[in-house]
Amino acid sequence: MTQAPINGQAEGGLEPIIRCRGLTRTYIKGDNTITPLAELDLDVARGEFIALMGPSGSGKTTLLNLVAGIDKPTSGSLRVGGVELADVSPSRLAAFRSEYIGYVFQLYNLVPVLTAYENVELPLLLHRLSGRERHQRVATALQLVGLADRHDHFPRQLSGGQEQRVAIARAIVTDPRIIVADEPTGDLDKESAAAVMALLEQLTAEMGKTIVMVTHDPKSAAHASRVLHLEKGRLVVQDERFATLAGA
Amino acid sequence: MLAPKYLPLVAKQVWRHRTRTALTLSGVAVAMFLFCAVQAMQNAVAAATTARSKETTLIVYRENRFCPFASRLPEHYQQRISEIPGVRSVVPMKIVVNNCRASLDVITFRGVPSDKLTMPGGKGEKFRFSAGSMQEFTKRGDAAIIGGALAKRRGFRVGETFDAAGVTVTVAGIIDSDEAQDQNVAYVHLEFLQRSGGLDQVGIVTQFDVKVDDPTRLREVAGAIDAAFEHDQEPTATRPETEFVARAAKDIIELVGFSRVLGLGCLAAVLALVGTAIVLSVQDRIKEHAILQTLGYGRGLIARLIVMEGLLLGIAGGGLGTLIAVAAIEWRGLSMSVEGLSMNVTASPSLVIVGLAGSAVLGIVAGLVPAWQASRRQIAACFRAV
Ligand SMILES: Nc1ncnc2c1ncn2[C@@H]1O[C@H](COP(=O)(O)OP(=O)(O)O)[C@@H](O)[C@H]1O
Ligand SMILES: [Mg+2]
């Protein structure tokens, strides 16, 4: 079962921050069984910036959701930050998400009735912090994404690029180790996309965050330290620099 | 329970969905207003007719007569009643009403011998004058001391003259009293009231109010009084005051008893309104709750946030309705009267508590099912569905 992972980076060193072995997710829809993710082996080391590419329906979002702990594997093993996600309780999983994961969506997914400030504050409410500490952290996060002057703006008063930057601030405000991003630039114009990518790159380079990002855009993928290709739920080798083995 | 730091979140959800919240709150407020009104009437009836263990008042009436117009007893019975063992005091009283049927606006005159009102230990001892005085009353033959509820309802002031049931009086004082009946009557001099009814009315009263020494001997004394006049020309029927009111107000009591169903209907309406609001708002926010869960909010927390929203809507709407009901009752000074007896509708503190607690509980209950449903959802599927 301990097949060599698709990259050899983590061998011998620290445990990779994300470690999949035989990771499988199936859905049963009526009589059909859909398997968006099949027997996936993957290691991601701390501080890596992974770009996940592949055609629509190839299982990219499914993989992100599993890593982010908002979905559970059907079989196989998935260790993130040393926690085996396949067999933790829902409440432990929620705590895991709060501590380890910042999720950035394609469509930002800000809460419409909350201001930028309040949206960023949301994940912090779960932490034991004084009101003042919370305020400081939110202000810092908004400052980092360049929106220090937009605290009181509601999502509808912001541009797409600004919304996405608020979403990034919300994802990093708790200082999680892993950022997962599902086509974060998919809905943005060129300039906004570039700003978001610069921000993500800064997060790995300066703060050592591990990022797993789904993208269709080769330009965005170029920011990553490693590009993975999914097809029909399996990783395929396209980038010779890193891949040593193709599954099936 | 929900940690206080999450309360602003819930409040913002409620406050920033203005239209939905306003609609829900007004519906809940109307329902709670009706509930409180019904409840207040129930309380009024209960207060006037439920036998009290400490009850010491008997009403002596003409046997087989039920309306103040028909009950006529010789005033001189007073002497014989006061000699019966266990009787502490006797007040002969003539009652004149402008309307004998069940009504919300009856003026009841009680003619009482002047000394029975003014002397120490008399009826007047319990009066608390909010305007005018006992001296004013003794000065004038046509003076009237009126109960606070009546004064409020009709807007009477001291010095004002008014006419009802063919009797014209001048207000000499406005009183507050612990006795429910006092709230809604006009006390006048007995002789004055007897004269205004014609010469044949002199020496005739409607009833005697008898105080007994020992509440446990109430019925025994009543029996003794009736036995004493059994063979007289005008035999008597003596009952504890609450029983007397209960008998006279039978129709009202039945009506109010039926209104209990209305009250329950109001509560059901509150439940349905808050329930609908929460269900719709949770439907609307499936994705939002999935976002919260993605951020690390657990199922229990999501559920509690939703229940808290129900609680907030319940308390805000119910509080508003209760407040309006209390204000309306206080302002209108409502009382239900029949045959010269009245049941005062008042807004007691317990009414406010019942109103608030009731709407809070209903708010919570309304939130439970949607909360449970929302907390069960598969997060990833919620993002896909939209
Ligand atoms: N909850 C679900 N129920 C049924 N099918 C699903 C569910 N989630 C994903 N799928 C299916 O799994 C496949 C992969 O989906 P996804 O991971 O979203 O692909 P990608 O993100 O690469 O476009 C798709 O065919 C999709 O319809
Ligand atoms: Mg996808």
Side-chain angles (χ1 to χ4, degrees):
Chain A
M1 182 65 221
T2 35
Q3 213 179 343
I6 198 158
N7 65 307
Q9 278 191 352
E11 290 293 288
L14 292 163
E15 181 179 333
I17 193 156
I18 301 170
R19 184 175 178 275
C20 313
R21 289 293 178 275
L23 183 63
T24 302
R25 180 67 169 107
T26 59
Y27 295 104
I28 296 166
K29 228 180 202 172
D31 295 337
N32 301 18
T33 310
I34 306 165
T35 308
L37 216 56
E39 296 287 335
L40 186 94
D41 296 336
L42 172 66
D43 282 353
V44 176
R46 267 161 230 272
E48 267 197 286
F49 185 169
I50 304 277
L52 200 55
M53 302 189 77
S56 172
S58 57
K60 304 182 296 293
T61 298
T62 303
L63 177 57
L64 277 197
N65 288 348
L66 288 171
V67 168
I70 64 173
D71 195 6
K72 279 195 135 191
T74 309
S75 67
S77 154
L78 171 59
R79 289 175 72 82
V80 180
V83 183
E84 176 55 68
L85 296 187
D87 45 43
V88 304
S89 69
S91 64
R92 282 273 293 120
L93 205 54
F96 160 82
R97 290 193 295 268
S98 167
E99 192 183 342
Y100 283 87
I101 304 293
Y103 204 127
V104 179
F105 301 87
Q106 178 180 358
L107 293 175
Y108 335 126
N109 280 346
L110 299 177
V111 177
V113 296
L114 298 182
T115 62
Y117 181 93
E118 290 159 353
N119 264 287
V120 177
E121 192 184 23
L122 278 177
L124 278 186
L125 291 175
L126 298 168
H127 293 248
R128 260 179 221 283
L129 293 171
S130 69
R132 175 198 292 226
E133 286 169 313
R134 265 206 312 273
H135 174 79
Q136 241 153 33
R137 288 240 214 155
V138 175
T140 308
L142 280 169
Q143 173 99 48
L144 188 81
V145 300
L147 292 173
D149 54 342
R150 300 297 167 113
H151 283 202
D152 297 327
H153 284 59
F154 286 93
R156 62 171 184 279
Q157 299 167 320
L158 297 171
S159 72
Q162 290 169 330
E163 278 196 76
Q164 192 60 298
R165 282 188 280 152
V166 173
I168 291 173
R170 183 179 66 184
I172 59 173
V173 74
T174 55
D175 199 20
R177 283 170 228 184
I178 302 169
I179 309 277
V180 298
D182 198 351
E183 303 185 38
T185 58
D187 218 47
L188 297 180
D189 61 70
K190 257 194 209 152
E191 273 127 75
S192 304
V196 164
M197 286 316 301
L199 205 52
L200 290 179
E201 212 171 348
Q202 188 188 350
L203 291 179
T204 36
E206 290 172 21
M207 301 167 79
K209 302 288 177 213
T210 306
I211 299 184
V212 182
M213 174 187 72
V214 170
T215 185
H216 285 299
D217 173 23
K219 243 179 156 171
S220 295
H223 290 262
S225 57
R226 182 153 61 116
V227 181
L228 297 174
H229 289 267
L230 266 182
E231 237 165 71
K232 295 192 179 132
R234 292 164 196 277
L235 285 172
V236 294
V237 179
Q238 286 201 355
D239 192 330
E240 271 82 31
R241 280 178 298 161
F242 298 106
T244 55
L245 179 100
Chain B
M1 266 307 290
L2 191 66
K5 62 181 170 183
Y6 296 108
L7 289 180
L9 199 57
V10 179
K12 282 170 204 159
Q13 282 293 353
V14 170
W15 182 246
R16 291 180 187 167
H17 286 106
R18 295 282 156 84
T19 315
R20 181 167 69 205
T21 300
L23 287 173
T24 309
L25 289 191
S26 45
V28 171
V30 168
M32 251 0 246
F33 167 78
L34 291 175
F35 172 78
C36 286
V38 166
Q39 202 64 28
M41 289 204 278
Q42 307 250 0
N43 291 349
V45 167
T49 60
T50 309
R52 288 176 289 263
S53 56
K54 284 275 167 54
E55 185 165 11
T56 55
T57 309
L58 288 170
I59 306 291
V60 183
Y61 228 57
R62 170 68 167 82
E63 193 182 20
N64 296 327
R65 298 292 148 81
F66 303 107
C67 179
F69 289 122
S71 176
R72 300 161 122 249
L73 293 169
E75 194 179 338
H76 62 73
Y77 277 13
Q78 179 190 347
Q79 186 58 34
R80 284 165 65 194
I81 295 173
S82 63
E83 282 161 9
I84 290 169
V87 170
R88 189 171 47 173
S89 68
V90 185
V91 179
M93 202 178 276
K94 180 174 169 64
I95 309 275
V96 173
V97 292
N98 65 347
N99 184 352
C100 208
R101 288 174 305 174
S103 165
L104 290 175
D105 183 24
V106 172
I107 292 187
T108 306
F109 292 105
R110 286 183 162 187
V112 178
S114 310
D115 59 328
K116 293 284 183 190
L117 268 185
T118 53
M119 77 186 182
K123 251 191 173 317
E125 202 162 61
K126 288 215 191 97
F127 293 173
R128 294 183 294 275
F129 281 85
S130 61
S133 66
M134 196 60 93
Q135 287 86 330
E136 297 282 314
F137 180 70
T138 23
K139 266 194 270 178
R140 298 183 68 114
D142 69 341
I145 294 173
I146 62 177
L150 173 60
K152 194 188 268 178
R153 198 168 70 239
R154 286 290 187 104
F156 291 145
R157 287 171 208 292
V158 170
E160 195 173 322
T161 299
F162 70 91
D163 172 284
V167 182
T168 306
V169 296
T170 302
V171 179
I174 296 170
I175 56 153
D176 194 16
S177 159
D178 295 331
E179 295 204 20
Q181 297 302 328
D182 290 347
Q183 287 295 333
N184 209 36
V185 299
Y187 281 103
V188 295
H189 298 285
L190 176 60
E191 268 192 60
F192 164 77
L193 196 58
Q194 285 170 330
R195 289 241 178 73
S196 68
L199 279 183
D200 62 326
Q201 298 284 312
V202 176
I204 301 292
V205 296
T206 310
Q207 67 185 49
F208 296 91
D209 281 20
V210 176
K211 290 277 180 202
V212 302
D213 291 321
D214 179 0
T216 61
R217 293 184 53 209
L218 198 61
R219 293 200 178 266
E220 192 185 318
V221 175
I225 293 172
D226 291 344
F229 298 102
E230 201 175 354
H231 304 295
D232 274 62
Q233 205 168 6
E234 309 287 353
T236 59
T238 305
R239 301 185 192 85
E241 188 183 27
T242 50
E243 191 182 315
F244 183 74
V245 177
R247 197 213 55 75
K250 222 176 87 207
D251 295 348
I252 289 186
I253 292 168
E254 250 167 46
L255 213 67
V256 170
F258 171 73
S259 75
R260 197 180 295 272
V261 181
L262 286 181
L264 291 178
C266 292
L267 295 185
V270 170
L271 190 64
L273 281 163
V274 179
T276 310
I278 300 287
V279 165
L280 290 180
S281 110
V282 168
Q283 283 298 346
D284 258 9
R285 288 189 283 148
I286 289 178
K287 196 165 161 194
E288 207 172 297
H289 289 131
I291 295 167
L292 290 181
Q293 285 192 276
T294 304
L295 297 179
Y297 284 55
R299 293 173 169 191
L301 180 53
I302 298 281
R304 277 173 287 154
L305 286 171
I306 294 170
V307 169
M308 184 54 79
E309 208 171 312
L311 174 63
L312 201 63
L313 286 175
I315 288 193
L320 188 65
T322 307
L323 206 76
I324 295 173
V326 167
I329 291 167
E330 284 295 303
W331 176 63
R332 281 280 296 155
L334 211 61
S335 68
M336 301 173 285
S337 300
V338 64
E339 294 172 19
L341 295 162
S342 64
M343 287 164 285
N344 297 311
V345 183
T346 56
S348 61
S350 74
L351 180 70
V352 176
I353 292 169
V354 166
L356 284 179
S359 34
V361 169
L362 290 173
I364 291 176
V365 171
L368 284 179
V369 172
W372 184 78
Q373 286 174 337
S375 68
R376 293 289 106 179
R377 294 218 168 84
Q378 296 295 323
I379 309 170
C382 293
F383 288 123
R384 247 167 238 284
V386 187

